Amino acid sequence: MPGFDFASWPPTLSKVQLEELTVYATSYALSHGLLYLPPVLPLPTVPSAAIHAPLALFPSPIPRRLFEKAQKLQRIYNILYSRVALDEAFLDKVMGAEHGVGKVDDFTGQLWRGWKALRDEGINQLQHLGIFRSDYLLHSLEDQEPALKQVEFNTISSSFGTLSQRVSELHRYLHKATSYYNVSPHLRPDRFPPNKTIAGVASGLAAAHAAYSSSKDTRILVVTQDNERNVFDQRWLEYELLDKHSIRMVRQTLTQLGRTGRVDPATRKLYIDVPTDLEPAGFVEVSVVYFRAAYTPADFPTPAHYTTRFLLERSTAIKCPSLPLQLAGGKKVQEVLGQAGMLEKFLADGKKYSQVFSSEEIQELRSSFMGMWGLDVGEDMLLPDVEAAKSGKESFGVRKAREEAKSLVLKPQREGGGNNVYKEDIPAFLDTLPPQEREAWIAMQLIVTPANVGNYLIRAGSVSGSSESQTPVRTDVISELGIFGWSLFGDDGGDSKVEEDTVGWLVRTKGTESNEGGVATGFSVLDSILLVD
């Protein structure tokens, strides 16, 4: 392979060096808030213990040109998904419960129907905030330089930005403290790119807060999951907003908000009942609703939880994301955007948008796509296989997925990890998939990552202090790069003005034996970047 030899990573350490680096790393993590709550359920109301987040001992190599390309593409992605969220007809067709994915995927259908009901009442969002993360893997074919390929685009609960900044600071610290024992000439300060995700994501939330009101009495509401272990990743944003922007956050779950939230029927302002400065309880006005929950059916155990979600959407508070922006992050949207002419529809239509992108910019974005198709499509790879739908036979999309199963992953309309079907498991899964549910799934060509790349992974599974849980595991790995961005936009009749920024990055690394990649779901560890040529 031309350029950097990925198979040479990581450098070899002696047992003594490995143990010493592990002490340095875990002590730094515990000292600097690189933390998780322990896996003990139910979690206590007042936390009394924490463990360090799962982490990699070395940063992972990523070619500088691909890292710079990913950062460059984020601006286009920020604008693209902002425009997709404002195209009601497009989302109705692709994700709706009458003609799209929501017809066969109950969770998507519930969200779409709630959005449709609000529109029918004449309620639309004046402004939307997106905190995005575009995830990539290196695609490395034999005798070719690695290419950058997108795994997915996240429009809701784009997490681990703050802890990823802490990991990048940890790796810089290890280099300063030990020089990594000079085990590799690649480990140099200029190859550790800066990571300012905390300030960057907070700036997006602050921009939305300022757009809503200049009043310091309003607060940003973070909607959290029950028994949330990843609280520190969220708390660092709270501290940044308070220290740098004098904005206060309040945290509540959907269950709590069902009791504490209300929308003024005249002004549609959102108020929640929380302890205040002077009284044990009182209503405060909410400027921004920042969802770190509500992206999975598990967050909606009762119909009342959907009612609460739609109550929040009814308000004038700026949602991050709004329902249309959440729907825009669906896997089906990702697949449709890869179809011929779709990027041009949103990025190059000079009659609709004052800001358009060149064919070269659009092609560069398109070059980050892998091949995708819906399981319900016919031989044109675009429209549903009507003949198969009538006869009950397998569609062309399903037959193609069977034939190419060993090089594919099947994805449903789900976030959070643990939902995909891979390679050899695909044929048996297709045997059980009802024909009416095909539209809810897409097939995607697997990204071929560089072979024989390794790292030392450290996990802390308990608070027992067991040395066994702290022992680094040397294993072959796959590293996923995520680029963060935000956009604040409103609907002004089509040509929406988008305020946006690219604000940081993360790396998640997992063993090659794992197909899934979520940190919160236990598959990956947090990592950082080593730029290589």
Side-chain angles (χ1 to χ4, degrees), residues 35-44 49-54 227-230 232 459-464 469 519-522:
L35 300 173
Y36 248 36
L37 291 179
V40 179
L41 296 179
L43 290 172
I51 59 176
H52 68 75
N227 291 307
E228 175 63 78
R229 294 180 56 216
N230 191 26
F232 300 99
R459 292 183 173 89
S462 70
V463 293
S464 65
S469 66
V519 176
T521 47

Side-chain angles (χ1 to χ4, degrees), residues 88-111:
E88 293 181 359
F90 175 82
L91 287 175
D92 286 346
K93 180 180 179 181
V94 176
M95 299 295 285
E98 294 175 357
H99 307 289
V101 170
K103 181 173 60 178
V104 293
D105 182 271
D106 183 64
F107 178 59
T108 301
Q110 291 270 24
L111 297 181

Side-chain angles (χ1 to χ4, degrees), residues 361-424:
E361 290 173 309
I362 292 173
Q363 180 52 38
E364 190 166 19
L365 189 77
R366 185 174 280 122
S367 71
S368 68
F369 293 172
M370 292 296 288
M372 286 177 278
W373 67 88
L375 291 185
D376 63 322
V377 298
E379 293 190 25
D380 63 357
M381 298 292 284
L382 296 174
L383 299 174
D385 191 332
V386 177
E387 198 62 37
K390 289 180 179 178
S391 65
K393 295 180 180 179
E394 286 194 341
S395 62
F396 176 82
V398 169
R399 296 199 305 272
K400 184 175 173 63
R402 285 190 185 276
E403 293 168 1
E404 301 180 21
K406 291 185 179 180
S407 62
L408 296 178
V409 53
L410 302 185
K411 295 184 174 184
Q413 308 301 311
R414 291 287 181 273
E415 302 295 335
N419 302 299
N420 299 334
V421 182
Y422 291 84
K423 297 187 289 190
E424 291 83 0

Side-chain angles (χ1 to χ4, degrees), residues 288-407:
V288 180
V289 182
Y290 176 37
F291 287 98
R292 293 297 292 261
Y295 57 83
T296 170
D299 291 336
F300 297 88
T302 71
H305 289 76
Y306 285 102
T307 301
T308 301
R309 173 64 184 91
F310 302 144
L311 175 77
L312 300 176
E313 192 75 12
R314 180 182 297 276
S315 75
T316 58
I318 298 174
K319 268 68 68 178
C320 180
S322 60
L323 282 171
L325 187 53
Q326 180 174 351
L327 291 169
K331 304 298 188 298
K332 188 66 178 180
V333 170
Q334 183 185 11
E335 180 246 315
V336 173
L337 289 175
Q339 296 175 6
M342 294 308 301
L343 289 182
E344 287 77 7
K345 166 185 167 70
F346 289 105
L347 298 175
D349 186 350
K351 294 181 179 180
K352 187 171 184 179
Y353 304 110
S354 59
Q355 179 186 20
V356 297
F357 293 88
S358 68
S359 57
E360 290 78 12
E361 290 173 309
I362 292 173
Q363 180 52 38
E364 190 166 19
L365 189 77
R366 185 174 280 122
S367 71
S368 68
F369 293 172
M370 292 296 288
M372 286 177 278
W373 67 88
L375 291 185
D376 63 322
V377 298
E379 293 190 25
D380 63 357
M381 298 292 284
L382 296 174
L383 299 174
D385 191 332
V386 177
E387 198 62 37
K390 289 180 179 178
S391 65
K393 295 180 180 179
E394 286 194 341
S395 62
F396 176 82
V398 169
R399 296 199 305 272
K400 184 175 173 63
R402 285 190 185 276
E403 293 168 1
E404 301 180 21
K406 291 185 179 180
S407 62

Side-chain angles (χ1 to χ4, degrees), residues 4-301:
F4 180 80
D5 180 12
F6 284 88
S8 68
W9 201 256
T12 300
L13 294 172
S14 69
K15 182 179 179 181
V16 172
Q17 290 171 334
L18 184 59
E19 289 177 349
E20 190 74 4
L21 275 179
T22 302
V23 172
Y24 274 110
T26 55
S27 298
Y28 184 95
L30 292 166
S31 301
H32 290 79
L34 182 47
L35 300 173
Y36 248 36
L37 291 179
V40 179
L41 296 179
L43 290 172
T45 303
V46 180
S48 59
I51 59 176
H52 68 75
L55 55 92
L57 199 55
F58 281 91
S60 287
I62 293 178
R64 187 185 300 269
R65 63 180 179 85
L66 297 183
F67 177 59
E68 292 173 351
K69 177 179 179 177
Q71 292 182 304
K72 180 181 177 182
L73 291 180
Q74 189 61 37
R75 173 175 173 269
I76 309 177
Y77 273 120
N78 290 343
I79 295 173
L80 171 63
Y81 275 85
S82 300
R83 291 175 178 175
V84 169
L86 295 179
D87 195 323
E88 293 181 359
F90 175 82
L91 287 175
D92 286 346
K93 180 180 179 181
V94 176
M95 299 295 285
E98 294 175 357
H99 307 289
V101 170
K103 181 173 60 178
V104 293
D105 182 271
D106 183 64
F107 178 59
T108 301
Q110 291 270 24
L111 297 181
W112 182 86
R113 281 188 289 271
W115 177 44
K116 179 67 163 54
L118 290 171
R119 284 186 286 159
D120 289 344
E121 291 179 33
I123 295 175
N124 284 291
Q125 304 305 312
L126 296 178
Q127 290 185 300
H128 312 245
L129 175 65
I131 293 177
F132 303 135
R133 196 187 69 227
S134 186
D135 293 334
Y136 303 93
L137 289 172
L138 301 185
H139 187 50
S140 182
L141 300 178
E142 190 174 356
D143 298 326
Q144 295 182 22
E145 289 191 351
L148 188 75
K149 295 296 182 179
Q150 188 184 64
V151 178
E152 63 182 356
F153 191 88
N154 302 276
T155 65
I156 183 169
S157 189
S158 302
S159 59
F160 290 110
T162 68
L163 293 193
S164 291
Q165 177 176 326
R166 293 290 177 244
V167 173
S168 66
E169 293 164 351
L170 180 151
H171 286 152
R172 282 181 173 271
Y173 159 75
L174 290 178
H175 185 265
K176 288 180 181 179
T178 69
S179 299
Y180 277 100
Y181 307 110
N182 297 311
V183 292
S184 171
H186 297 288
L187 289 162
R188 305 197 312 259
D190 62 307
R191 298 195 174 215
F192 293 77
N195 190 352
K196 303 297 182 183
T197 308
I198 297 174
V201 172
S203 70
L205 290 164
H209 177 84
Y212 177 86
S213 171
S214 59
S215 171
K216 291 186 178 181
D217 294 331
T218 59
R219 301 190 189 185
I220 292 178
L221 167 66
V222 186
V223 182
T224 65
Q225 292 180 315
D226 294 315
N227 291 307
E228 175 63 78
R229 294 180 56 216
N230 191 26
V231 296
F232 300 99
D233 185 55
Q234 300 163 12
R235 289 287 189 183
W236 281 115
L237 290 175
E238 177 184 337
Y239 306 149
E240 180 77 10
L241 284 165
L242 190 60
D243 292 343
K244 302 295 172 56
H245 302 276
S246 299
I247 299 171
R248 289 188 287 182
M249 269 188 165
V250 59
R251 299 166 56 86
Q252 290 199 7
T253 65
L254 280 176
T255 301
Q256 291 173 313
L257 288 165
R259 300 189 299 268
T260 65
R262 69 177 180 88
V263 173
D264 185 288
T267 65
R268 288 180 37 228
K269 290 184 178 181
L270 174 63
Y271 297 91
I272 54 173
D273 192 3
V274 297
T276 62
D277 301 330
L278 301 176
E279 301 292 338
F283 282 96
V284 296
E285 184 180 348
V286 173
S287 59
V288 180
V289 182
Y290 176 37
F291 287 98
R292 293 297 292 261
Y295 57 83
T296 170
D299 291 336
F300 297 88

